[in-house]
Amino acid sequence: MAASLHHLTFFFPLLRPPSPKPGNHSSRKSVSGTELHGATSKPNPRAIMAFASGKDTQEVVLQPGERLYLGMDFGTSGARYALIDKQGTIHSEGKREYPFYMSGETIDWVQSWKTTIFSLLEDVPVHFRPLVASISIDGTSATTIIVDSNTGEPLWRPFLYNESCPDALPMVKSIAPVNHTVCSGSSTLCKLVSWWNTEDSKKESALLLHQADWLLWLLHGKLGVSDYNNALKVGYDPEVDSYPPWLLAQPYSHLLPSVTAPGTSIGCLKENIRTQFGFSEDCVVCTGTTDSIAAFLAARATQPGKAVTSLGSTLAIKLLSTRRIEDARFGVYSHRLDDKWLVGGASNTGGAVLRELFTDEQLDKLSEQINPMEASPLDYYPLTAAGERFPVADPNLAPRKSTKDRAQCLLHPRPESDVEYLHGILESIARIEAKAYSLLKDMGATEVEEVFTAGGGAKNDKWIKIRERVLGLPVSRAMQTEAAYGAALLALKGAQQSLN
């Protein structure tokens, strides 16, 4: 068996609660007094004084020899970093939107991601960089890059997380077990097969990497290393820690990367990067995970029955279960977490629908007028376009008033009151969430007992109360809602394992 994640679940309860964050912050926020020290100051050899952010400022002292751990989250629209100590206290954090480079008429995502990762490294306060012991990264699940195995340069544009390759689905279904996770047009394996059937050359020297794998390669320089969370949707079996025979028998199996546990030390930071940015010689780079799992880790939901709903552009659910559940018919799959499983899926409903209809200011003002204890009579299936993944896997499911009325267009009828309209949308998304948790229970997963909320939707208190009523469960905001924090915990895990 590969190294497990038991260190994560073991040390989560021991962490001090992260310092509260102010409502508004700049793209980089240092809690170490960067402005006082100056941008080029060196760390005090005896101790570094840091101040936790928030209204209740508290003093935090880094003792001689104490190290920091860097996590980076590459989401759908931008990237973040979090820098923590071994107790889990945040010392610096920041974010970057992706710069848009064009290649012909399409966005050059590879160049955007590459620019962003080095921008984030530059954003880490100079006086903290020599203290960083390890780095880890999470990326969007099933974002796939085919690269040259000798140079690491992409051979094809990236397949994005939500991109479907229906042309490859019949072939994948013909080789995979019935209802396997890869039997979805958006799976990594479908993307690999689609590329394999399209490309006539460079097949022998090609290598498959996930977004997080490729970004980590930029830092450690060892091609072909992945983690079993990212590798799940290409067909890797984390229960037996290997690729299954049916996958290894395929002509493209040589493209598959080697797989280790998330948070496993791969090697030291490349010398040129270490020298350029001022990181220490012993700074190690660790395998990463997917963005939704990093968000789950950040929430520190460590007991079976605890769940995290990420309310971002889409709605993603992760429930800690003692049983593994897999069924592509419903978009349900399980990620390994130590001796337990993160069961769940991702719906296409979520914040992207709200963004199309309301501004942030409107959402705030309208939400204040909603009575969350009253049920809305409106029944929508909020989607930005046709297609749903979970709890219903239907590529043709249209945005509509109800599941029985396919003739209705986007979220109609619309009431005259915008407050009622928003109330109906928020409650409809909550019903989809409730249906998802009910489905997981019916399929044999551990029954959900408590839900933590991450993502932008976690800031809406009225929505939390609506969901609490609809779900019939305790719902609260996660102590940490940023996936970058979960990636930093993986970096901490990797540093601790490398010392053992």
Side-chain angles (χ1 to χ4, degrees):
M1 296 287 287
S4 73
L5 295 177
H6 74 277
H7 292 287
L8 281 177
T9 54
F10 177 75
F11 71 61
F12 273 4
L14 303 181
L15 298 178
R16 292 197 301 266
S19 308
K21 298 187 290 185
N24 296 305
H25 54 82
S26 62
S27 61
R28 186 182 81 179
K29 179 174 62 181
S30 171
V31 294
S32 62
T34 304
E35 292 78 7
L36 294 176
H37 290 288
T40 58
S41 61
K42 299 294 183 181
N44 186 313
R46 298 180 60 187
I48 289 182
M49 192 75 71
F51 296 94
S53 61
K55 295 180 180 178
D56 301 322
T57 302
Q58 65 184 51
E59 190 175 283
V60 181
V61 177
L62 287 176
Q63 297 300 327
E66 190 167 355
R67 306 299 296 273
L68 298 174
Y69 309 90
L70 177 61
M72 289 184 275
D73 160 52
F74 278 72
T76 56
S77 60
R80 295 176 179 266
Y81 83 85
L83 191 63
I84 68 172
D85 61 25
K86 65 181 179 181
Q87 305 298 334
T89 301
I90 297 175
H91 290 269
S92 181
E93 56 187 341
K95 63 180 179 180
R96 288 269 182 166
E97 292 184 355
Y98 296 135
F100 288 133
Y101 299 99
M102 301 303 294
S103 177
E105 297 182 356
T106 61
I107 297 173
D108 187 345
W109 285 109
V110 167
Q111 186 60 41
S112 295
W113 298 331
K114 185 175 183 179
T115 298
T116 302
I117 190 173
F118 291 113
S119 295
L120 289 180
L121 292 178
E122 186 69 38
D123 289 344
V124 175
V126 173
H127 57 282
F128 277 154
R129 295 178 200 171
L131 303 181
V132 176
S134 55
I135 302 172
S136 187
I137 298 174
D138 72 75
T140 48
S141 176
T143 294
T144 308
I145 310 175
I146 308 295
V147 303
D148 186 292
S149 59
N150 298 310
T151 66
E153 292 300 313
L155 298 175
W156 196 264
R157 64 165 184 81
F159 292 91
L160 299 183
Y161 70 101
N162 59 350
E163 187 172 346
S164 183
C165 297
D167 58 296
L169 192 54
M171 182 176 293
V172 169
K173 286 185 174 181
S174 72
I175 61 172
V178 176
N179 300 326
H180 192 280
T181 303
V182 298
C183 297
S184 166
S186 61
S187 73
T188 310
L189 185 56
C190 277
K191 292 164 183 172
L192 170 58
V193 171
S194 180
W195 176 86
W196 183 263
N197 291 339
T198 302
E199 181 64 23
D200 293 326
S201 61
K202 301 180 181 178
K203 289 183 176 180
E204 292 306 314
S205 62
L207 176 67
L208 180 145
L209 294 178
H210 307 89
Q211 181 188 32
D213 307 336
W214 188 79
L215 290 165
L216 287 164
W217 165 74
L218 293 175
L219 302 184
H220 59 66
K222 298 180 180 179
L223 270 174
V225 182
S226 187
D227 65 89
Y228 57 58
N229 291 152
N230 272 298
L232 182 75
K233 292 183 180 179
V234 78
Y236 188 83
D237 188 343
E239 194 163 12
V240 297
D241 257 345
S242 68
Y243 290 107
W246 59 263
L247 182 56
L248 293 176
Q250 303 309 312
Y252 43 78
S253 63
H254 65 278
L255 275 73
L256 301 173
S258 63
V259 177
T260 63
T264 299
S265 174
I266 305 170
C268 289
L269 191 64
K270 289 166 63 175
E271 183 178 359
N272 63 322
I273 297 176
R274 175 180 59 78
T275 302
Q276 177 183 351
F277 293 98
F279 289 93
S280 65
E281 292 185 8
D282 62 349
C283 179
V284 298
V285 181
C286 308
T287 48
T289 185
T290 67
D291 54 350
S292 61
I293 290 184
F296 186 93
L297 297 177
R300 298 193 302 229
T302 61
Q303 299 299 317
K306 306 296 184 182
V308 173
T309 295
S310 295
L311 295 172
S313 298
T314 59
L315 182 149
I317 281 176
K318 290 284 185 293
L319 167 65
L320 194 59
S321 172
T322 57
R323 287 191 60 191
R324 180 185 186 183
I325 306 296
E326 307 270 350
D327 198 326
R329 292 177 301 171
F330 303 102
V332 175
Y333 54 91
S334 295
H335 280 285
R336 179 181 160 199
L337 186 64
D338 187 22
D339 59 344
K340 300 179 181 64
W341 298 93
L342 282 182
V343 181
S347 168
N348 288 335
T349 193
V353 177
L354 299 174
R355 292 279 184 183
E356 284 196 351
L357 299 170
F358 305 101
T359 65
D360 287 347
E361 184 179 1
Q362 288 174 325
L363 286 171
D364 290 340
K365 289 184 177 181
L366 295 173
S367 294
E368 289 175 2
Q369 303 174 60
I370 292 175
N371 181 352
M373 304 315 295
E374 289 186 1
S376 170
L378 299 171
D379 185 14
Y380 302 127
Y381 205 106
L383 298 170
T384 58
E388 177 62 306
R389 297 175 289 168
F390 169 76
V392 177
D394 182 355
N396 300 313
L397 184 66
R400 61 186 182 274
K401 178 189 172 215
S402 70
T403 54
K404 295 180 180 179
D405 189 356
R406 291 181 178 268
Q408 293 287 351
C409 56
L410 178 61
L411 305 187
H412 279 285
R414 177 167 182 160
E416 293 183 5
S417 167
D418 285 343
V419 174
E420 292 179 14
Y421 191 43
L422 177 59
H423 188 177
I425 296 170
L426 295 181
E427 186 141 339
S428 295
I429 295 175
R431 293 191 193 107
I432 295 172
E433 181 184 4
K435 182 177 180 179
Y437 282 119
S438 178
L439 173 65
L440 296 182
K441 176 187 174 182
D442 292 344
M443 295 178 69
T446 300
E447 185 172 0
V448 59
E449 298 176 352
E450 182 178 11
V451 177
F452 298 98
T453 308
K459 301 173 185 176
N460 191 320
D461 291 329
K462 294 295 182 74
W463 199 3
I464 287 179
K465 290 178 181 178
I466 289 172
R467 293 169 51 233
E468 195 165 44
R469 170 174 53 79
V470 173
L471 295 175
L473 295 166
V475 179
S476 61
R477 187 180 297 107
M479 292 182 67
Q480 261 298 328
T481 62
E482 298 297 346
Y485 186 86
L489 290 174
L490 283 180
L492 171 57
K493 170 181 177 280
Q496 289 182 331
Q497 287 187 342
S498 65
L499 293 175
N500 296 335

